[in-house]
DNA sequence: TCTGTTATTGCGC
DNA sequence: GCGCAATAACAGA
């Protein structure tokens, strides 16, 4: 199984993606880097033209991965909606603090939509830059509003 | 095995 | 409205 690597632009950031077939191994954010081929779903999703990354999945969803159940619960959050750390924790039968840790260690942001998990009174956090989370949520909200109008 | 760290929350003042 | 303790799980020493 060959692992491929690509970079795509997102605002000021470059998103590096490591994947093979439909399985995404790692998603990381970099300040610099030359754009190269990434799965088309990624670009469509980031530009708000598509509301799903299907059929892409993440290694974080496979059995045996730490936080497997947490990532699955987050994966189920619908496009344009958000859940709090507590709500996710309740679904998984764990502690909200643990959800925060799981999100920080999330090997594949975007695929696991960790940006849809927010703090009760604010956005919560995002590594390496809260702006990425903010932008993603704005794109999703905008698209959902447009869909609602039509 | 122990300690430090963490993308939170809710209570008390 | 702010500060702080409670609290779970991993990484590194």
């Amino acid at each position: 199984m060959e692992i491929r690597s690509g970079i795509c632009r997102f605002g000021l950031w470059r998103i590096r993606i490591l994947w093979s077939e439909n399985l995404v191994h790692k998603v990381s954010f970099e300040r610099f880097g030359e754009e190269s081929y990434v799965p088309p779903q990624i670009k469509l999703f980031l530009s708000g033209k598509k509301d799903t990354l299907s059929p892409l999945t993440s290694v974080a969803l496979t059995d045996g991965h730490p936080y497997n159940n947490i990532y699955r619960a987050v994966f189920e959050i619908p496009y344009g909606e958000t859940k709090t750390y507590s709500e996710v924790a309740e679904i998984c039968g764990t502690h909200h603090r643990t959800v925060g840790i799981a999100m920080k260690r999330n090997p594949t942001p975007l695929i696991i939509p960790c940006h849809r998990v927010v703090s009760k009174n604010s956005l919560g956090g995002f590594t390496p830059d809260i702006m990425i989370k903010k932008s993603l949520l704005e794109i999703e909200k905008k698209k959902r509003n447009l869909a609602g109008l039509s």
Side-chain angles (χ1 to χ4, degrees):
Chain A
M1 190 161 62
E2 191 194 351
I3 296 185
R4 310 185 58 184
S5 165
I7 293 179
C8 112
R9 272 189 65 153
F10 184 67
L12 294 171
W13 290 87
R14 306 292 181 276
I15 303 179
R16 176 184 290 277
I17 307 190
L18 298 178
W19 82 100
S20 57
E21 308 280 324
N22 289 327
L23 185 67
V24 179
H25 293 252
K26 192 166 170 54
V27 176
S28 54
F29 297 94
E30 299 176 2
R31 212 65 182 77
F32 306 99
E34 199 131 324
E35 275 189 88
S36 52
Y37 178 82
V38 296
Q41 294 96 322
I42 303 281
K43 285 202 157 190
L44 291 170
F45 182 83
L46 289 175
S47 60
K49 289 178 183 144
K50 216 164 179 284
D51 59 10
T52 173
L53 284 165
S54 169
L56 293 177
T57 58
S58 162
V59 284
L61 294 172
T62 56
D63 284 330
H65 195 283
Y67 307 123
N68 172 278
N69 55 339
I70 297 179
Y71 293 135
R72 278 185 201 213
V74 175
F75 193 68
E76 307 255 311
I77 302 175
Y79 187 92
E81 288 185 27
T82 57
K83 273 194 166 30
T84 63
Y85 291 95
S86 294
E87 284 171 325
V88 175
E90 205 173 324
I91 293 170
C92 306
T94 184
H95 198 269
H96 55 78
R97 216 56 205 83
T98 313
V99 176
I101 295 168
M103 293 305 101
K104 181 170 169 54
R105 300 193 193 283
N106 183 3
T108 57
L110 296 183
I111 316 298
I112 308 296
C114 59
H115 55 280
R116 290 181 201 148
V117 183
V118 297
S119 173
K120 203 172 186 181
N121 300 311
S122 68
L123 265 188
F126 197 89
T127 305
D129 188 355
I130 189 67
M131 280 307 297
I132 298 171
K133 184 174 190 172
K134 219 171 160 183
S135 305
L136 287 168
L137 286 173
E138 269 171 25
I139 290 170
E140 296 197 358
K141 212 192 295 174
K142 202 183 286 181
K143 183 163 195 301
R144 195 178 60 158
N145 286 343
L146 286 175
L149 287 172
S150 60

